[in-house]
Amino acid sequence: MIAGWKSIALTALLAALVSGAGVWLGAGWVSQQRAAPSLHDIIHNDLDLTPEQAARLKVIEDRFAATRPALEEDVRAANRELAAAIAANQGDSPQVQAAVDHFHDAMGALQKATIAHVFEMRAVLTPEQTRVFDRGISDALLQETR
């Protein structure tokens, strides 16, 4: 009987240790994700913009803010289409492949528009600001792969 209790106590202790390690690792991952600066943060916090640069960048940002929601909605619609195709088909079918292609096209359009937006903003910057901007963009992109 005592051996049974020891086994239960050991199992509980190991479960607590593993749970604690999982929480610790998860918290570390979340804090790394939050450490990545946003494009907005890089532009408005890391660069010493002139008033003229700030005005030009506002026009660029406002224009992208107007087009981005439609691109993001197309990605969400493609995701819903893929979910419906998977639910309706019992395997990899032409409908599933068409939905995957739609999703890839939508994600590609969003990514291309975002990259064009980044380079449009970059063109407004001085060479020193460009170095800071490029380093921030690179760090943000690499942060997501860690």
Side-chain angles (χ1 to χ4, degrees), residues 57-116:
L57 288 168
K58 179 167 179 14
V59 170
I60 293 167
E61 289 176 311
D62 288 349
R63 186 173 48 247
F64 187 62
T67 60
R68 184 177 175 175
L71 294 166
E72 290 174 337
E73 177 52 36
D74 194 29
V75 171
R76 287 189 295 274
N79 239 356
R80 289 189 299 271
E81 180 184 323
L82 179 57
I86 289 171
N89 296 275
Q90 294 302 312
D92 197 10
S93 68
Q95 294 82 7
V96 169
Q97 285 306 307
V100 168
D101 290 343
H102 180 205
F103 179 77
H104 287 169
D105 291 344
M107 280 298 297
L110 175 60
Q111 188 170 34
K112 287 178 182 179
T114 302
I115 295 300

